Amino acid sequence: MTFLFPNYQRKPIELVSGKGCMVTDQSGKQYLDLTSGIGVSSLGHQHPLLTKALKQQVDKIWHTSNLYTNSLQEAVAEKLANHKDYVAFFCNSGTEANEAALKLAKKATGRNKILSFHQSFHGRTYGAMSLTGQSSIQQGFGEMLGEVAYFPFNDIEEIADNLNQEVAAVIVELIQGESGIHVAYKGWIKELYKLCKKQGILFIVDEVQTGIGRTGSLFAYEQYDIEPDIITSAKALANGLPLGAMLGKQSLAQTFSPGSHGSTFGGNPLALSVACQVLDLVQTPEIQENIQQRSLQFFNGLQQISSKKIIDIRGKGLMIGIELTDSLVLTQVMNQLEKHGVLTLRAGKNVLRLLPPLTISQAEVAKALEIIEEVLAG
Ligand SMILES: Cc1ncc(COP(=O)(O)O)c(C=O)c1O
């Protein structure tokens, strides 16, 4: 008997505590966490500075509503802008950040069409689900937003003919996370961005999974020589407290005039007090260096594994995908890894996805590689 909807396929383990990159289940078994709670606890579990920030805020005030000035929102927005001319709207999740982006793009341009990509993932609410280029996500839920069209990822030909003045925005993940760690080519993104600019089409980058240091820079777009009109963020932003953000260019600010959009909980002080620390920490030279070094260690180590089960290895920073022969093999590999005390994620049908905390140590990566090799060789 359960009192829950069965919409998640849950494992029978319950994680009851965590410290750094290690988590412990109800039986006391320890695991190396290569999931970060699907790219959320990116600075590890119980980071002392984050715990301190949260505790301090707990003793001050939990909720103020958005009827009042909020200096924590100002501080986090400034850090997210990262010396560029972005303003922020705060919400509670990735899907809400994408809903906000959709509304902003339509209102700012007065246009209706949105272009997205096959195999993309943008969330589960109606707008974000409509942006998602996967029929399996949409199946059974009736009509999607009719104005969204999907195009092949990493291919300029087909979309180029459709970039006209009826289009409000293009939305893209720079690494498609949920569907299998597909990295966008730099040349493709630069060309797409240029063509959008020509037609007054807003360029939205969904950084819900790629952002907050995951790929080596605060946001992945910084590695693509572009400045998106709109950026969406969530997941790791408050390391486990619910927080989402939509950033838009200053020139779009007046589109969201008073009363045009809002959220009761969005940008609450508890999540923001943590986000403030998260954004300082991910930009420190120590964490930046760790992401670079551990990424190299992972990719070098994985490339040296000789296994017939591996088809491809791809990703950036600490967003890593290992494509395996098929989905059954992936299930077996994940179960074996779990048995050996390593938690991993699935992406698409057959990709083993690793999103370890950005604070993972050299010894922990070495241990992870040793176990992954043993399992893949077997
Ligand atoms: C790229 C991307 N966008 C949006 C979302 C949705 O975020 P949330 O689950 O916080 O609504 C996800 C979640 O996996 C994601 O990976």
Side-chain angles (χ1 to χ4, degrees):
M1 177 63 190
T2 171
F3 291 97
L4 302 176
F5 275 106
N7 58 315
Y8 300 111
Q9 251 187 343
R10 293 178 193 273
K11 293 195 161 280
I13 55 175
E14 179 165 4
L15 302 175
V16 293
S17 65
K19 188 125 188 94
C21 298
M22 298 304 293
V23 286
T24 307
D25 75 9
Q26 76 275 30
S27 72
K29 179 169 173 172
Q30 291 207 311
Y31 304 85
L32 183 56
D33 180 10
L34 301 187
T35 74
S36 306
I38 323 189
V40 170
S41 317
S42 272
L43 294 172
H45 302 274
Q46 277 196 62
H47 190 293
L49 292 177
L50 303 185
T51 304
K52 186 174 160 203
L54 180 59
K55 282 186 173 161
Q56 279 177 351
Q57 190 59 43
V58 163
D59 287 336
K60 285 188 195 160
I61 192 164
W62 294 11
H63 178 76
T64 62
S65 87
N66 280 307
L67 296 173
Y68 302 101
T69 298
N70 191 323
S71 57
L72 269 171
Q73 286 192 8
E74 287 289 345
V76 173
E78 188 178 353
K79 289 176 202 290
L80 284 168
N82 207 13
H83 311 290
K84 300 188 185 78
D85 62 334
Y86 288 106
V87 289
F89 163 78
F90 289 105
C91 49
N92 309 284
S93 64
T95 202
E96 283 176 65
N98 286 330
E99 292 292 333
L102 190 57
K103 285 177 72 174
L104 182 69
K106 287 194 179 207
K107 192 159 187 248
T109 58
R111 303 176 184 178
N112 207 34
K113 268 195 161 173
I114 309 280
L115 309 191
S116 177
F117 296 94
H118 296 315
Q119 302 307 320
S120 56
F121 184 80
H122 299 293
R124 301 280 189 165
T125 48
Y126 257 93
M129 175 170 61
S130 299
L131 296 174
T132 293
Q134 298 186 56
S135 54
S136 60
I137 302 280
Q138 302 171 342
Q139 231 158 33
F141 293 111
E143 297 230 337
M144 296 295 118
L145 293 182
E147 61 271 23
V148 184
Y150 316 97
F151 293 88
F153 189 70
N154 270 335
D155 178 347
I156 202 72
E157 298 268 302
E158 217 177 297
I159 196 168
D161 292 341
N162 289 274
L163 295 169
N164 55 46
Q165 294 185 3
E166 284 173 18
V167 178
V170 166
I171 182 164
V172 66
E173 292 159 88
L174 295 174
I175 303 180
Q176 291 187 326
E178 293 305 302
S179 67
I181 313 293
H182 302 291
V183 183
Y185 304 143
K186 190 169 178 177
W188 175 63
I189 287 292
K190 286 179 76 167
E191 183 65 16
L192 189 59
Y193 178 76
K194 197 175 86 191
L195 295 176
C196 285
K197 286 271 140 205
K198 251 192 197 163
Q199 300 287 349
I201 297 168
L202 298 178
F203 201 80
I204 307 173
V205 175
D206 179 340
E207 296 252 18
V208 169
Q209 199 161 146
T210 50
I212 320 300
R214 175 59 54 193
T215 71
S217 43
L218 181 60
F219 288 111
Y221 81 77
E222 293 161 39
Q223 299 172 49
Y224 282 81
D225 300 341
I226 58 164
E227 264 189 41
D229 299 288
I230 299 175
I231 301 155
T232 56
S233 177
K235 283 190 180 287
L237 184 50
N239 210 62
L241 276 92
L243 183 63
M246 178 202 56
L247 307 181
K249 281 281 178 180
Q250 188 82 50
S251 55
L252 299 170
Q254 294 314 315
T255 305
F256 267 5
S257 52
S260 56
H261 194 52
S263 162
T264 294
F265 290 123
N268 79 86
L270 295 179
L272 283 163
S273 63
V274 176
C276 228
Q277 279 292 328
V278 166
L279 291 169
D280 284 346
L281 282 166
V282 291
Q283 305 263 48
T284 56
E286 295 75 33
I287 301 256
Q288 293 283 303
E289 177 70 10
N290 199 56
I291 301 168
Q292 301 302 337
Q293 292 306 320
R294 300 294 74 81
S295 174
L296 267 177
Q297 191 184 352
F298 257 122
F299 281 104
N300 286 341
L302 290 170
Q303 261 134 20
Q304 277 164 29
I305 296 176
S306 159
S307 166
K308 288 203 177 80
K309 291 175 186 151
I310 300 178
I311 303 283
D312 193 18
I313 297 163
R314 45 185 188 253
K316 253 187 211 292
L318 288 172
M319 186 165 179
I320 302 166
I322 307 156
E323 185 176 343
L324 302 180
T325 40
D326 60 60
S327 82
L328 189 66
V329 167
L330 174 61
T331 304
Q332 287 164 350
V333 165
M334 287 178 72
N335 287 341
Q336 280 299 311
L337 287 170
E338 184 190 304
K339 221 170 131 185
H340 287 78
V342 178
L343 298 182
T344 55
L345 294 162
R346 174 186 289 272
K349 281 194 180 67
N350 58 338
V351 177
L352 181 68
R353 177 173 39 155
L354 311 181
L355 299 175
L358 309 178
T359 48
I360 193 166
S361 69
Q362 186 174 18
E364 285 166 329
V365 174
K367 184 77 191 159
L369 285 167
E370 190 188 307
I371 297 172
I372 291 170
E373 180 164 23
E374 195 183 319
V375 168
L376 285 174

